[in-house]
Amino acid sequence: MMGILYGVGVGPGDPDLLTISAIRCIELSSVIAYPCLEGTPSFARSIVSNYIKESQEEISIAIPMLREHEPAQQAYDRAAKTLLERLREGKNVAVLCEGDPFFYGSFQYLFFRLAEQCPIKVVPGVSSLMSCSTSLSRPLSGRNDVLSILPAPLPDTALKSCLQVADTAAIIKIGRHFSRIRNLLETMNLEKKSYYIERSTLPNEKIQNLNSVDPAEVPYFSMILVKRRGEI
């Protein structure tokens, strides 16, 4: 009998934001898998560490820290093959995913590789978009507001065109792109309507004005919320 593959959203970092369903799926699984950047511990695992038992097999999916697309795809190919072997043994497998599995989540790369080969259950998680908004005490949108989610690696022309029409914009995946994004917001006179936050819900969460941020210290887990206007 084929096991079940669970794509488990574990939220933005605070274990208190884990859902009951996420915990249940972890408990039902013989195998716990999680992505991590090559050579670093898994952030997703750290969120649920109190719920992982010694009897459960753990599989770390190491993702190369390269800009090229192909090495990461090869890593997911290998991981899918390994997980499918466990599933064919009748074992349930929980793949941990930071935030929500289908909102820029790493689990989707395994989902597309395995969706036609095994039963899959996806467990939603609290996304960093939601937690950043609440940490900042800034509602994302209301009534007929237009909300845009913008990955920072997009070119300036694409970012600018989206920012010009959005009531609220969340710029994610900031990291090394911070200086360029800050310059763009300044040229659009949006810097005073922008709010920077990093490591939302974690003990070292930080909220700053854009001018106070050191670009060299900006982590991947950061976001800029731009509130151009909004309905109440």
Side-chain angles (χ1 to χ4, degrees), residues 1 36 57 80 90 103 112 126 133 167 169 178 180 215 221 228:
M1 182 178 177
C36 63
E57 179 186 4
F103 184 74
F112 288 122
V126 176
S133 172
D167 299 301
F178 177 81
R180 179 174 61 85
F221 292 107
R228 294 182 66 243

Side-chain angles (χ1 to χ4, degrees), residues 140 147 163 166-171 181 185 190-191 193-195 223-229:
L140 284 173
L147 170 65
L163 287 167
D167 299 301
T168 300
I171 306 176
I181 299 300
L185 293 171
L190 292 174
E191 71 276 12
K193 298 181 179 181
S194 302
Y195 309 88
M223 188 184 90
I224 295 175
L225 186 66
V226 184
K227 294 287 293 182
R228 294 182 66 243
R229 56 182 176 267

